[in-house]
Amino acid sequence: MKIGVLRERAPGETRAALMPESVRSLVSAGAQVALEPGAGVASGVGDADYTGAGAQIEARDELLSSVDVLLCVNRPDDEDIARLRAGTVVVGFLRPLDETDAIVQLIEQKLTAFAMELIPRSTRAQTMDALSSMATVVGYKAVLLAAERLPKMFPLLMTAAGTIAPAKVLVLGAGVAGLQAIATSKRLGAVVEAYDVRAAAGEHVRSLGAKFLQVDLGGIQTEDAGGYAVELSDEALNRGRDLIAKHARTSDVIVTSAQVPGRQAPLLVTQEAVDAMKPGSVIVDLAGATGGNCAATKPGETIVQNGVVIMSPLNLAATVPVHASQLYSRNVTAFLKLMIDDKGELNIDLNDDVVGPACVLEKGEVKNSRVAAALETAPR
Ligand code: NAD
């Protein structure tokens, strides 16, 4: 079996799908690994590091027409997909639910496709959970961005010139990214508060030494059976918004990371709340890709309103390419190994409780019911 990795071409992308340690592990499992020249250069890995780990370096065209498995971070562009042989397995962040249109070409090309986003959040699949890996990097980096932009320091300092008060950070959404933002803010010495609709998040927030802001939502259900937040009514959202607006007034930094899978991000920070913040305060909205948690957010941009900085970075993981690639490479390799037999050959079992749910297409046939439903309603 031949596994290929391209140099990622999406604008601003710096991550690589495989790092040398994973190449070594796949080669010792009996696979052949080939990479495009420069595939790891933006993540600090040279071609010689890959060949030293047992890989070959091959031109893009040659690689596309000969691989059995293509590992990627982002879905390859149409031109690359057109060069793959029917039946080639593609594994990566394929965005099958929010960019369903783009899946059509993979169907026409009769590819087999696995989306890293669809890997279940189960105990067995923890080592393959690339969403959590990237959210960890993003939550960390969001706080550093805010700290760099804030005209204050984070820690409490007692100096000969008197005391400097610590920065106040408010984190909205305490999933993987939010919890990492809390931990990073605490390490820098800030006083941290956090809000989430899931009751279980309260325990996690408090265990990191932050204060959990609670809203009485009248006992409504806020999470589904999988532990994900559900979409709330406007009335329930308004109760949260009021509390957030009150705390925003005294916050120096707000990091927002609230998401509801498959939906627009909930609006949590209203324009009135932004207007009432102190000049110099910073908002980092991590939900920009799904519309943002803040009314003032312009996805992908940094804007300033009455002295309040509102940032909405869309690919923060790519700003920490070495560790983001290392984590992603381990996740994707652990997943691929579920499909490699003891002779180093591909053996796909769609009845496996991780492989099956992550499968979008098998030889062009749609295997995921959510993707099938999205394809039916997707505009053409
Ligand atoms: P996510 O990116 O889907 O959402 C981020 C956070 O936003 C969540 O904590 C969610 O509750 C919160 N949120 C949604 N709507 C909100 C609103 N209106 N107001 C405030 N907050 C709101 O979440 P995630 O980081 O991907 O984690 C989702 C769930 O999966 C969590 O329960 C997490 O603990 C769980 N998880 C499990 C595993 C595992 O067991 N392997 C791994 C990672 C995450």
Side-chain angles (χ1 to χ4, degrees):
M1 176 186 44
K2 181 170 175 184
I3 300 166
V5 173
L6 301 174
R7 190 174 49 77
E8 295 282 326
R9 287 212 289 208
E13 190 52 80
T14 55
R15 292 168 290 176
L18 279 187
M19 296 296 261
E21 61 170 33
S22 304
V23 169
R24 229 170 263 123
S25 149
L26 289 165
V27 168
S28 62
Q32 186 193 344
V33 180
L35 296 103
E36 181 182 355
V41 77
S43 311
V45 181
D47 293 349
D49 299 315
Y50 285 121
T51 51
Q56 286 96 49
I57 301 299
E58 275 181 24
R60 194 174 188 98
D61 284 353
E62 195 183 323
L63 202 142
L64 282 164
S65 60
S66 64
V67 290
D68 301 300
V69 178
L70 183 69
L71 299 182
C72 46
V73 178
N74 304 295
R75 192 186 55 244
D77 60 25
D78 292 357
E79 213 180 294
D80 288 337
I81 289 171
R83 294 201 175 116
L84 292 169
R85 295 173 302 162
T88 304
V89 175
V90 181
V91 185
F93 283 127
L94 305 181
R95 309 190 60 172
L97 295 172
D98 59 334
E99 288 185 3
T100 310
D101 275 8
I103 299 299
V104 173
Q105 206 205 350
L106 281 79
I107 296 175
E108 286 167 356
Q109 204 70 19
K110 297 198 169 15
L111 302 181
T112 294
F114 293 93
M116 294 302 285
E117 303 89 326
L118 296 182
I119 289 180
R121 298 318 253 293
S122 61
T123 307
R124 180 172 173 240
Q126 261 178 7
T127 52
M128 308 158 210
D129 186 353
L131 283 181
S132 287
S133 295
M134 296 306 109
T136 300
V137 177
V138 166
Y140 160 82
K141 193 62 191 278
V143 173
L144 298 193
L145 278 190
E148 203 273 327
R149 199 68 197 239
L150 191 71
K152 292 182 172 183
M153 293 187 279
F154 265 42
L156 167 90
L157 291 176
M158 298 218 207
T159 78
T163 302
I164 297 280
K168 265 188 84 179
V169 176
L170 174 61
V171 175
L172 305 177
V176 181
L179 290 173
Q180 192 54 235
I182 294 170
T184 305
S185 302
K186 290 290 297 179
R187 285 186 203 114
L188 287 177
V191 170
V192 187
E193 300 178 323
Y195 170 72
D196 198 295
V197 284
R198 290 180 301 112
E203 215 176 289
H204 299 146
V205 166
R206 284 187 284 266
S207 75
L208 290 171
K211 181 178 171 197
F212 188 59
L213 305 179
Q214 236 158 341
V215 178
D216 180 7
L217 294 174
I220 58 162
Q221 192 202 339
T222 56
E223 62 186 275
D224 63 17
Y228 280 100
V230 295
E231 201 170 27
L232 299 185
S233 69
D234 235 20
E235 196 218 314
L237 277 173
N238 277 336
R239 292 194 195 186
R241 286 173 190 143
D242 290 346
L243 181 76
I244 289 162
K246 196 166 136 232
H247 287 260
R249 273 201 290 274
T250 57
S251 297
D252 297 300
V253 169
I254 302 182
V255 176
T256 79
S257 68
Q259 303 265 12
V260 178
R263 299 264 186 278
Q264 281 287 100
L267 175 65
L268 300 178
V269 186
T270 59
Q271 187 60 53
E272 294 72 44
V274 177
D275 293 344
M277 287 178 75
K278 293 171 289 183
S281 313
V282 180
I283 299 174
V284 182
D285 190 340
L286 297 177
T290 49
N293 294 137
C294 170
T297 292
K298 296 238 182 319
E301 292 181 30
T302 295
I303 59 165
V304 183
Q305 283 188 351
N306 302 320
V308 178
V309 178
I310 303 127
M311 310 172 94
S312 171
L314 295 177
N315 191 2
L316 267 190
T319 67
V320 194
V322 173
H323 282 157
S325 300
Q326 224 166 59
L327 295 170
Y328 184 78
S329 168
R330 289 175 190 165
N331 294 142
V332 84
T333 301
F335 177 66
L336 186 59
K337 281 193 161 180
L338 294 180
M339 302 191 283
I340 302 180
D341 68 17
D342 48 15
K343 294 187 189 71
E345 293 303 324
L346 201 57
N347 183 3
I348 300 174
D349 174 10
L350 292 185
N351 291 318
D352 180 280
D353 64 4
V354 177
V355 176
C359 183
V360 181
L361 305 173
E362 187 189 28
K363 296 190 173 120
E365 193 186 321
V366 181
K367 287 288 167 184
N368 182 288
S369 56
R370 283 158 72 206
V371 176
L375 274 167
E376 263 172 37
T377 53
R380 295 281 155 76

